[in-house]
Amino acid sequence: MKFRTSREVLLRPLRVVTGVVDRRHTLPVLANLLLEASDDGLLLRATDLEMEVVARVREDVEVAQSGVVTVSAQKLGEIWQSLPDGAQVQVALESDRVVLRSGSSRFVLATIPVADFPSSQEGEEEEGLKVELALPHSDMRRLIERTKCAMANQDVRYFLNGLLLELSGNTLRAAASDGHRMALCTLDGGAEVPETLRLIVPRKSVLDIERLLADSQEEVRLVLGRNNIRISQGQYTLTTKLVDGQFPDVDRIVPRNADKTILGDRETLRQALHRASILSSEKSSEVRFQVEGDQLTIRASNPNQEEAEEVVAVDYAGQPLEVGFNVRYIQDVLTALDTESVKFSLPENNGIAVIEGPGAEEALYLVMPLRL
């Protein structure tokens, strides 16, 4: 194997592909990425056995000799990143080592036999239901950005450690919950499905998908099956296994009688909560909302008898109320939304709060209050 290219051509492909590599894995070969040079250009592939990312680079790569090799993802990525802008790089397999040359620099990297590298998931086909659809880049990013804040992390309820994608009719809905809050985002899915399809994408895969979409505006193509999902954008393809579990019934959780509404400026509230959170208890992260008339008073305190108080103007026409929240949950919602104002709706018993941004009704957030 032998090819030549510039630093800039492989900079982003290496960053995207190596993002899947788990350095703590017990199989040494999984710390490597696979490089394959051919007449069709260069293919880079990395996997952690649950997820695989493939990048195809067909332009601005001069392949002198076809071949395939596996090499340390971390070391190759760090070397490539450290090269000067505009550097021309030659990569060649010599005996059982990869030799990288650029200007006066030379690096020799160890390899692991290609036979030890896991086979690709990309060509695997599932039996039964399979749905294909295309989404604008902005829609796919919005689904993730509006909901990722509520995903659980290492929860024993494993089905919460990810993002639910639900297709029904021609509607695509994303939902995430950690048991204390829930985030929902609903969009036109762009494809008609004969039956409701519910898939749980693992948390790590969701974050890698977000990184994949970060620097490109190209259309996103999805292939959804019962056991995996494949997402393609331009030269990149990500395939991941799904979480095998039953996500809570979203429609049953959303309150139907949340008639006490508070309307306020989102950025003003976000800044007030940030200041109040500095003196909230590290254990509970509690803040208290006291609303009366057109005034919201936010209070926070901690075991050291330190206190914070913020007063914010709001629109509210109900009876005076007091309710407590985990401040981090509210802050996450106000960060995920991009509307000028935000609306809080609560039922009579101060149960689950519904938070949304007027003018951006595709996103909805539910937050459990704290006992005062």
Side-chain angles (χ1 to χ4, degrees), residues 167-193:
L167 275 81
S168 180
N170 67 344
T171 298
L172 175 60
R173 177 165 65 180
S177 175
D178 61 6
H180 304 286
R181 54 180 168 167
M182 179 175 285
L184 307 170
C185 186
T186 306
L187 300 173
D188 179 4
E192 190 78 28
V193 294

Side-chain angles (χ1 to χ4, degrees), residues 9 13 46 91 109 121 134 154 159 214 220 254 272 282 304 306 336 347 349:
V9 169
V91 180
L109 299 175
Q121 300 178 34
Q154 297 182 334
F159 51 85
V220 180
V254 178
E282 292 185 7
N304 295 327
E306 297 172 320
N349 62 352

Side-chain angles (χ1 to χ4, degrees), residues 18 43 66 68 79 87 93 104 112 120 138 150 199 213 270 280 284-285 298 301 310 313 319 327 353 357:
T18 57
L43 180 144
S66 298
V68 59
I79 290 170
L93 178 63
S104 59
I112 294 178
S120 176
S138 58
L199 316 171
L213 303 177
R270 190 187 69 80
S280 65
S284 67
S285 299
I298 301 170
S301 62
E310 293 279 343
Q319 294 296 313
V327 66

